[in-house]
Each structure stands twice: as C-alpha cells, then as structure tokens.
DNA sequence: ACGGTGTATTGACTGCTGTCAATATACCGC
DNA sequence: GCGGTATATTGACAGCAGTCAATACACCGT
C-alpha cells in the first residue's frame, strides 16, 4: 500500500478562532463540520462518555454498554480517533482509549 | 393535513445535565446527537455564523454568501429551526432568523 | 385583481453512513 | 509453533442526507 499523506488533523482554534461569532469561510466550515460529524452520533457520544468517565477504557469494556457489534464499535472508535477526539494506545492485545480533553474544550468553545 | 403532534424540542441541559463527563444512556445520546447533527454541516455552520454576526438575518441575505440554491438554503434553515438553534420570524414577505444564544451555550457546555 | 418577489415544498437523484457477518491480523500463554 | 483471545478490515446492504429544478404558496404594491 502506498503511504497515506498523513491524516490532516484539523486545528479547531486555528481554523475557527472566533467560533460561530463571526462568519466562516467555506473551508473553515468544512473543517469544523468534519469534527462535529464525528461527535454527532449516538454511539460515539456514548463511547465518549464512557471513556471520559473512566479516564481511559479498553475496547472490550465499551462493546457491552453501547450494545453494538465489535466491528461497529471498532469503526466508531476509529472515527473518533481520526477526528482527534480520543487517542489510542495499544497495550498487549488490548486497545486503550482516552479522550483529548483540550480538543473537547476547543470544540465546546466554538459555541461560546 | 392532520396536525403534527408538535415537534418535540429537546432540552439539552435536562437530557444531558453532566455533558460528556459521565456516560449517556441510549435515549439521551440519541437526543443530543440529533441537535449536534443539525450543526455538523458546513452550510449550516456558515448560516449560523452569518446570522449570529448580523444579529438577525433575512433569507435573501444568506443565499448569496453560502453559494447554494434557494431551496437548499431554505432546507438548512428549517433544520436549524427544528433543532431550536435559530428562530424564525415572518416580516411581510421576508423570513428573518436569529440565533438562540442560550441553546448554543448549552450545546457548548456539553463538551466542558 | 394582477404581476412580481421572497420563501417553502415536492420529487428525484446521488453519495455517504451505520450496521453486521465473515474474515484477517496481532498478540499472548503454553 | 499453536490455540485462544482482542481488535481491525472487508464486503455488502439499507437508510438517510444534501442538492437542485420545478412548482406551489404567501405577501406586497399598483
């Protein structure tokens, strides 16, 4: 496989420094929307809540509470990770996730 | 047409009082996601920015900046209104919109 | 009443998204 | 190495969401 050009992680406070207080250009809106889309899903909100409440959580502890199949949960965690909202750490055969508090704060700040 | 049972407007601080700090049950996650979905679109983010920056705005002033057809803009404004993020007021033949600041604040507070 | 203008609705189409079963991959203990 | 366990990927499918052209509706001035 050819190397992907590195996932361009969006910097919220750079792309939308004044949040929704002033108009966004096309690109800024698209970037901000891409992060919001990651969060605008019931399963992913539940996952974020579970991860945050626990400090960190392993996939095996997340599949049960959300009531979805393992591949689906894996998919949602990938989306959250790609958006930079959670970070993944491999420990042996387990994948551990923790929330990026700063990024969540930045996201909340957009609506200020 | 039979009367619709009134759109059930979701109360964010009631449904998710602790935001993402603690796990959300299925219903709360679904409700919160429905509001976030309204905001997770580039065109609607631009519209929110324009409306907020202007204080209030009429549809005719919004179609140009976002670069979409009039029916599409009308559709997006309807979605924002249904989510309670903006309020619509008819003035003669013009439709004026203003943002619901409290609701935006509540939404931002979820990520605190 | 009528023509014009601003907005909403309808219908149709396309692309994306969430989901799962099946399969593959990675890691561990023995 | 081997079987078992945890996670990721693939493939397929249904449903939804964004878009526009065409049309309908509402309001206004004349």
């Amino acid at each position: 496989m050819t190397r992907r050009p590195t996932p361009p992680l969006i910097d919220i406070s750079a792309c939308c420094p004044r949040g929704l207080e002033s108009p966004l250009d096309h690109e800024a809106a698209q970037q901000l929307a891409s992060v919001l889309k990651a969060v605008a899903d019931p399963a992913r909100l539940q996952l974020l809540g579970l991860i945050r409440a626990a400090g960190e959580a392993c996939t095996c502890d997340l599949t049960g509470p959300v009531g979805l199949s393992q591949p689906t949960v894996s998919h949602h965690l990938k989306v959250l990770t790609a958006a930079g909202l959670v970070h993944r750490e491999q420990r042996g055969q387990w994948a551990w996730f923790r929330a990026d508090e700063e990024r969540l704060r930045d996201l909340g700040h957009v609506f200020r």
Side-chain angles (χ1 to χ4, degrees), chain A:
Chain A
M1 190 196 334
T2 61
R3 182 190 301 275
R4 220 67 79 58
T6 307
L9 193 50
I10 287 151
D11 183 340
I12 298 174
S13 39
C15 104
C16 317
R18 299 194 24 92
L20 292 181
E21 285 182 345
S22 47
L24 282 61
D25 62 49
H26 226 80
E27 188 182 346
Q30 200 121 16
Q31 293 186 342
L32 179 53
S34 76
V35 181
L36 284 171
K37 272 181 201 298
V39 115
D41 176 275
R44 292 196 284 269
L45 285 174
Q46 284 196 281
L47 289 171
L48 271 176
L50 289 163
I51 293 170
R52 256 191 126 191
E56 59 180 5
C58 135
T59 308
C60 52
D61 296 327
L62 297 171
T63 308
V66 299
L68 293 171
S69 73
Q70 176 268 319
T72 300
V73 172
S74 179
H75 163 67
H76 285 309
L77 288 169
K78 189 177 183 180
V79 173
L80 288 173
T81 305
L85 294 168
V86 304
H87 297 283
R88 200 192 110 110
E89 186 190 346
Q90 188 84 27
R91 291 185 201 162
Q93 44 192 333
W94 292 279
W96 285 83
F97 295 87
R98 58 183 174 74
D100 188 321
E101 301 291 340
E102 185 186 351
R103 190 146 250 254
L104 287 171
R105 225 178 316 115
D106 284 354
L107 200 49
H109 202 234
V110 163
F111 300 103
R112 127 194 72 88

